[in-house]
Amino acid sequence: MRRFFRLLLYRLSQFVAWCLFAVFYRIRRYGARNIPHPPFIVACNHQSFLDPIIVGFTCPHPVRYMARASLFHNPLFAALIRAYGAFEIERAAADLAALRKTMHFLKNGECVLLFPEGTRTHDGKVEQIKPGGFLIAARLGVTVVPAVIEGAFRAWGRNAKLPRFFLPIRIYYGKPIRVAVEDIK
C-alpha cells in the first residue's frame, strides 16, 4: 500500500511539475521514444538545481536520484527528496554504500539518475565525466540512456540565488547504449 501512495504522489507531482515548467520555462522533451522499460541508468549533464526535477517529470518511469550527502542535513528537505526517490552519496570519497544502493535499485527493476560529472557545472559546459555509473551499468548489464538538458544553467545556474523564469529549457534523451567494462577508461 505504501508503494501505491508513493507512486500516486510521484505521478501527481510529475503532472504538476510538467504544468509549471510548461508555463515558466516552455519545457520541451525530445527522444521520449528512446526511453526503455527499467532497469536503466539515465546519465545526464548537470547544469542546475532544476535538473533532477526535469528528468523526474520528463521520464515516464519513476526515477531514483543519487544526491550529495549535504542535501540530507536539513531533516525536512531530506524527507522531501527521499519521498521522491533520492538517496545520498558522499562525493569526496568512494561511497560503497551508495554504489550498493544503486545496484540494488537496478536489480529491482528501477531507473536511476546519475550525473556523471558529479556536480553542477560552473559555466554551463559539460565537465569531466566520472566512470562510476558506467561501471555499474557494465557490471549489471543494464543500458545507459544519455540525456542532455539545455537552458537550465541560464534558468538557475550554480551561482544564482534565485531562478529566472520564461527561459526555454530542453531535454534530449538519446538511444540507450550498452557499456562494456573494457570501454571505460
Side-chain angles (χ1 to χ4, degrees), residues 71-94:
L71 292 175
F72 294 84
H73 291 169
N74 177 312
L76 291 176
F77 189 68
L80 175 68
I81 62 177
R82 276 195 181 100
Y84 287 103
F87 59 99
E88 56 198 273
I89 182 169
E90 280 293 340
R91 294 184 312 184

Side-chain angles (χ1 to χ4, degrees), residues 47-96:
Q47 294 189 337
S48 168
F49 295 111
L50 301 172
D51 297 342
I53 300 166
I54 293 168
V55 173
F57 75 81
T58 61
C59 182
H61 310 289
V63 178
R64 294 285 187 164
Y65 307 85
M66 190 179 282
R68 73 175 190 264
S70 63
L71 292 175
F72 294 84
H73 291 169
N74 177 312
L76 291 176
F77 189 68
L80 175 68
I81 62 177
R82 276 195 181 100
Y84 287 103
F87 59 99
E88 56 198 273
I89 182 169
E90 280 293 340
R91 294 184 312 184
D95 188 345
L96 296 178

